[in-house]
Amino acid sequence: MSIVSSNAERLIGRIATFRRVTVAFSGGVDSSVVAAAAMRAGLDSLLAVTANSPSVPEWQLQWAGRIAQQIGIEQQVVATDEANREEYLRNDTRRCFYCKETLYRTLAQLASHDPTTVLVSGTNADDLGDYRPGIEAGNLAAVQTPLADLGLGKQDVRELARFFGLENAELPASPCLASRVAYGVPVTPERLLRVERAESWLRDRGFSDVRVRVHHDELARVEVPATELSRLLNSSLAAQLNETLRTIGFRFVTIDLQGLESGSMNRVLVRIGEKIH
């Protein structure tokens, strides 16, 4: 038995112990692998729930529906109201906690008709090494994390996605749009829409992965993979980028010469070599 098939068997077996499951399903590779394994676990009840809010881009909702259909899992899309919470809107370092707390409360309400239903997320083992207040919210809501529990990291998850034949096995990670907004800059639907439009423009021009970060004074900091920087820095394309993002509503546009770095907003949390939690 290969390592991948062994991991698949372990994951399916772990999820099978829950019997009735609701998956927090974003359509990303992590939650998709959990959902695919759950479909093979012979559960008594299984539902994938996808959050719909201003922080979720339209393309991601479409992917979630497409992957749910491929897996064959019942999917429910629900509106979440984190944008109505002052704690979330002010965007301090606990924003992700309030967002996930709202999500898991919504999932718990859906599952309230049967107290034996278990909430499951796609948190993987690598996520535990970063500053992720949302994981704390999950712990408080008794959300199960089978990938992390089995020590399965991002590379393992992508191998499992290929093993299960999922279309999104190579899909780049895409945290919510609110994660693009610098701490202390209020999260508003208008800012999130600007980010979505700007990133869509870049993807339409062939960039494999993008982040448009929002800083104070409506400064947009654009990240693309380091291997694709030279094309973005081409004078013609750079001029188009500047004009487009300013038209969208940004006042200033800059390109991060370090290239794309997941979680780069958390650089501000580093003090004397340690992260503030």
Side-chain angles (χ1 to χ4, degrees):
M1 179 182 293
S2 70
I3 293 176
V4 179
S5 59
S6 175
N7 284 340
E9 188 175 290
R10 292 167 61 218
L11 180 61
I12 293 167
R14 170 65 173 153
I15 295 173
T17 64
F18 301 139
R19 304 309 306 167
R20 306 180 69 86
V21 167
T22 294
V23 181
F25 183 73
S26 68
V29 66
D30 298 321
S31 62
S32 297
V33 163
V34 169
M39 278 296 293
R40 293 162 170 78
L43 303 175
D44 295 334
S45 174
L46 176 60
L47 176 67
V49 178
T50 302
N52 184 10
S53 79
S55 68
V56 181
E58 180 60 31
W59 71 265
Q60 196 165 353
L61 286 174
Q62 292 175 359
W63 260 107
R66 177 175 173 175
I67 298 301
Q69 187 174 34
Q70 182 191 8
I71 293 171
I73 191 172
E74 180 184 355
Q75 182 196 27
Q76 187 169 346
V77 179
V78 298
T80 54
D81 63 354
E82 67 271 14
N84 295 325
R85 297 187 62 173
E86 177 58 35
E87 309 98 315
Y88 171 84
L89 295 174
R90 70 173 176 245
N91 193 25
D92 61 19
T93 59
R94 300 281 288 169
R95 180 204 67 244
C96 188
F97 173 87
Y98 301 121
C99 179
K100 293 297 187 184
E101 184 182 55
T102 302
L103 171 64
Y104 295 138
R105 184 174 65 236
T106 302
L107 265 61
Q109 289 170 349
L110 289 175
S112 62
H113 66 281
D114 190 326
T116 66
T117 298
V118 175
L119 305 182
V120 177
S121 80
T123 299
N124 68 63
D126 292 339
D127 294 333
L128 305 181
D130 195 7
Y131 177 62
R132 304 255 178 143
I135 294 178
E136 178 188 347
N139 292 337
L140 291 173
V143 175
Q144 298 297 310
T145 57
L147 295 173
D149 294 345
L150 295 173
L152 300 174
K154 198 68 178 184
Q155 182 177 341
D156 300 312
V157 172
R158 291 203 183 276
E159 290 173 351
L160 285 168
R162 297 184 199 106
F163 180 82
F164 290 141
L166 300 180
E167 289 184 62
N168 62 352
E170 310 305 329
L171 189 70
S174 184
C176 76
L177 295 175
S179 69
R180 320 290 205 264
V181 184
Y183 295 124
V185 177
V187 174
T188 66
E190 293 77 18
R191 284 196 173 102
L192 298 178
L193 180 59
R194 283 201 292 272
V195 170
E196 181 174 4
R197 291 177 62 192
E199 292 188 352
S200 178
W201 186 88
L202 284 157
R203 282 195 301 273
D204 287 346
R205 276 143 191 84
F207 290 95
S208 62
D209 200 4
V210 299
R211 299 287 188 279
V212 175
R213 314 283 190 185
V214 185
H215 293 265
H216 294 273
D217 298 322
E218 304 307 326
L219 181 147
R221 176 168 58 89
V222 179
E223 297 181 11
V224 300
T227 55
E228 300 175 21
L229 268 174
S230 60
R231 186 162 73 87
L232 185 59
L233 291 168
N234 173 277
S235 58
S236 175
L237 189 55
Q240 292 178 46
L241 173 72
N242 182 64
E243 180 181 358
T244 299
L245 267 61
R246 286 168 66 94
T247 299
I248 287 173
F250 294 103
R251 290 196 184 120
F252 309 99
V253 181
T254 185
I255 297 172
D256 194 320
L257 298 180
Q258 182 170 308
L260 190 148
E261 179 190 1
S262 180
S264 68
M265 285 299 195
N266 287 340
R267 294 176 197 165
V268 300
L269 303 181
V270 178
R271 296 291 185 273
I272 318 178
E274 294 184 354
K275 289 184 178 178
I276 299 173
H277 291 264

